[in-house]
Amino acid sequence: MAEVEVPSDAERRARELREMLHHHAWRYYALDNPEIPDAEYDRLFRELQELEQAHPALRTPDSPTQRVGAPPLDRFETGQHAVPMLSLENAFDAAEMREFDRRVRERLGTDAAVAYCAEPKLDGLAVSLLYEDGVFTRGLTRGDGATGEDVTVNLRTVDNLPLRLRGEGWPARIEVRGEVYMPRSGFERINAGYRERGEKTFANPRNAAAGSLRQLDSSITARRPLVLCCYGLARLAEDLGLPDTQAATLDWLAGWGLPVSPERAVVTGLEAMQAYHERLSERRAELDYEIDGTVFKVDAVAAQEQLGFVARAPRWAIAWKFPAEEQVTVLREIGFHVGRTGAVTPVARLEPVTVAGATVSNATLHNEDEMRRKDIHVGDTVVVRRAGDVIPEVVRVLPERRSPNASVPQMPTECPICGSAVVREAGEAAHRCTGGLYCPAQRKEALLHFASRTALDIDGLGEKIVDQLVERDLVERVDQLFRLGKDDLVALDRLGDKSADNLLAALEAAKQTTLPRFIYALGIREVGSATARALAQHFGRMRELMAADEARLAQVPDIGPIVAHEIATFFDQAHNREVIEGLIAAGLTWEEGEPAAVQPQPLAGRTYVLTGSLERMTRDEAKERLQALGAKVSGSVSGKTAAVIAGADPGSKVDKAHALDVPVLGEDDLADLLERN
Ligand code: IVH
């Protein structure tokens, strides 16, 4: 094959570009401290890509352009690890750690405290990275420890993996060991995408990382948010002059641009080991990656060599595991929790099980869709997870353990607390109790809203007082606020004689209110202060509003069908009407006005479609005038369309109308229609 001639200036520029891109990628990924804006990086990257396209001979294996993936493989090649990849012994408590440390000291023949290099045990998958003359040439999975799968092209797509080592002076051949993982944030993001598209999601970040790295199509891997963290070096016989401690080795790796854990530390003696482990455990939930314990390695390499190995694990290292965050148990039944906003959440009642050190007998199922997505049945064997301060949740079911009489749960139609209707609005994930003011679960929130400045503005009725009023069963419904006596109030914590008098005076003053304030104070969903004002103006009287049906409500300016539906549902609840009567009986008054004239609705129930351009009015005007007469205006023609109104140059809607036998009217017919009605 003839040598391909590449102009020397192109070759020089390609080298320059590679150097710059390596440098900036290192600043960005390893130091988190970029020197240039992303756009500038992208520009340099494109320039290199173009050069390589013009002269393919310039495309080196360490070129940053090689991160984007290569053609799919049929299967992975395998490769031999120069030094076997071992596993770690586990310890589950302080006693086992003490035993480990004792054995280490015994074998080393010392009573002195031993220095250990500590770092998090990352929950991803182990890889071995070969760098030859500073260039990343091969990456293997752990496999059986002696032979692994060759995932080099996939690893090249991992952004923070250096394709070439920084600096100089590294041994000609080194095998770096580390973990590839998927950060929690990236995991949530890609799973959200799958969920949206109705595709299968990954069970946890570890599976997601493994599934992504072991992809035959590296362009898929390239789109997955994978991260590398290096934790060691396979010591090859030919390597001379390597650092003599584990901690110094990690610093050395970092100096070459390899990512290492920022949590790494040297701890000496059992007490310090325990403190490190506890501190890490406390911070576990804050980290953006999953860890399942601490790895401790005897820091001195000479001591490691003296200790050697047993079976498949070194005697000089151990993983102190955190208590497991996931456990398997049986879901006995489903309960429903009603929150402060009325959201009704399904809760799994479980066979009690210890998860991460605490007994768990309830776990959230979030909402109906989540329950369906996870295919939860009552009686299922399930995996529960409790991580940090997060509420325990059911992660998945084990369908292979499902009994034939397991049943599909249903969401309630009535609130388990107050008996009001439970509804799920279109486009919302949550079911909600419509009890509002009446529902005890929503009472505190409802009281605070009722007393807020924009509502009845009851000075002195804050959170601390409201909590006590509800917890001591002094106020079950907002109207009972006005029945409180001084004796009730002075009995509360933090409420002196004077404050009690002030609160009573504020309650008395609040009785004289306005209709917009009163409507707003009821806490009807979707009804803010502007809507409350519009309702008051339109209906004039409270009784008119309470009697209005959805169609009437939708005539109020700026009130659409969704809000109209919320309002009608609220007033449909007998409990809510009782609260209103109670408030009136307690002496609340406001000025009433005349209802606005109700427009006749001769075109109610008829749907029109507008198409083409009109001469005498705009399409929007025509739409508004039709709507004012009660008609609906839609964008698409169906068998139910009353007529299509076509101006000049109409589109395909007219053809569709003809096909469906829907009448087609002209602009004159429209004028007629508007005039006649
Ligand atoms: S050291 C001979 N350090 O845990 C030393 N391993 O159970 C062997 N792992 O296969 C590994 N974080 O996948 C080491 N900081 C860390 C680690 C770590 C995660 C994984 C690794 C290994 C497994 C052993």
Side-chain angles (χ1 to χ4, degrees), residues 86-88 119-122 126 142 179 231 295 297 314 316:
L86 302 175
S87 62
L88 289 168
E119 60 185 330
K121 185 167 194 297
L122 301 160
R142 189 176 125 170
E179 196 88 349
Y231 52 66
V295 178
K297 294 170 191 154
W316 42 266

Side-chain angles (χ1 to χ4, degrees), residues 37-57:
D38 295 0
E40 178 60 10
Y41 183 89
D42 295 342
R43 199 191 61 69
L44 296 172
F45 189 90
R46 257 196 319 275
E47 191 187 335
L48 180 59
Q49 248 177 344
E50 281 160 17
L51 258 181
E52 289 177 349
Q53 227 144 46
H55 311 289

Side-chain angles (χ1 to χ4, degrees), residues 307-358:
L307 287 159
F309 303 86
V310 268
R312 306 186 60 207
R315 283 204 194 90
W316 42 266
I318 195 159
W320 188 352
K321 301 286 280 281
F322 297 130
E325 288 185 329
E326 289 190 358
Q327 290 293 350
V328 170
T329 187
V330 173
L331 189 161
R332 284 201 291 216
E333 59 173 7
I334 300 213
F336 296 94
H337 173 80
V338 186
R340 300 211 310 170
T341 59
V344 179
T345 308
V347 178
R349 308 276 184 235
L350 306 165
E351 204 63 60
V353 61
T354 307
V355 191

Side-chain angles (χ1 to χ4, degrees), residues 40 139 154 339 365 402 404 441 616 620 668:
E40 178 60 10
N154 291 352
L365 293 164
R402 175 169 293 158
R616 273 168 276 175
D620 277 342
D668 291 340

Side-chain angles (χ1 to χ4, degrees), residues 278-478:
E278 279 166 13
R279 174 92 189 96
L280 190 60
S281 166
E282 282 163 15
R283 295 190 38 243
R284 184 179 185 187
E286 288 163 27
L287 301 174
D288 190 30
Y289 45 89
E290 299 214 323
I291 60 174
D292 56 359
T294 312
V295 178
F296 292 99
K297 294 170 191 154
V298 170
D299 196 37
V301 173
Q304 290 181 3
E305 280 162 4
Q306 194 180 336
L307 287 159
F309 303 86
V310 268
R312 306 186 60 207
R315 283 204 194 90
W316 42 266
I318 195 159
W320 188 352
K321 301 286 280 281
F322 297 130
E325 288 185 329
E326 289 190 358
Q327 290 293 350
V328 170
T329 187
V330 173
L331 189 161
R332 284 201 291 216
E333 59 173 7
I334 300 213
F336 296 94
H337 173 80
V338 186
R340 300 211 310 170
T341 59
V344 179
T345 308
V347 178
R349 308 276 184 235
L350 306 165
E351 204 63 60
V353 61
T354 307
V355 191
T359 305
V360 172
S361 41
N362 294 302
T364 182
L365 293 164
H366 300 292
N367 57 48
E368 184 181 30
D369 290 349
E370 279 290 297
M371 211 159 64
R372 301 275 173 262
R373 195 176 63 73
K374 290 175 183 159
D375 190 30
I376 304 255
H377 285 46
V378 177
D380 268 347
T381 300
V382 297
V383 176
V384 276
R385 179 180 174 83
R386 189 182 85 92
D389 295 333
V390 183
I391 318 169
E393 64 167 347
V394 172
V395 227
R396 61 182 182 278
V397 303
L398 302 178
E400 63 279 10
R401 295 215 217 157
R402 175 169 293 158
S403 90
N405 39 23
S407 59
V408 178
Q410 296 300 324
M411 290 299 286
T413 53
E414 285 175 2
C415 173
I417 308 282
C418 75
S420 301
V422 165
V423 295
R424 178 178 177 183
E425 302 301 350
E428 271 199 44
H431 278 68
R432 279 180 202 281
C433 162
T434 53
L437 293 185
Y438 173 81
C439 182
Q442 298 169 68
R443 209 170 283 154
K444 285 183 188 173
E445 194 74 2
L447 283 172
L448 285 170
H449 175 80
F450 188 79
S452 67
R453 188 145 308 158
T454 327
L456 290 203
D457 194 13
I458 307 172
D459 220 18
L461 193 61
E463 210 160 322
K464 301 247 159 58
I465 308 283
V466 163
D467 283 356
Q468 294 184 66
L469 292 174
V470 171
E471 273 149 29
R472 298 181 188 200
D473 278 337
L474 286 167
V475 177
E476 292 189 342
R477 307 186 336 187
V478 284

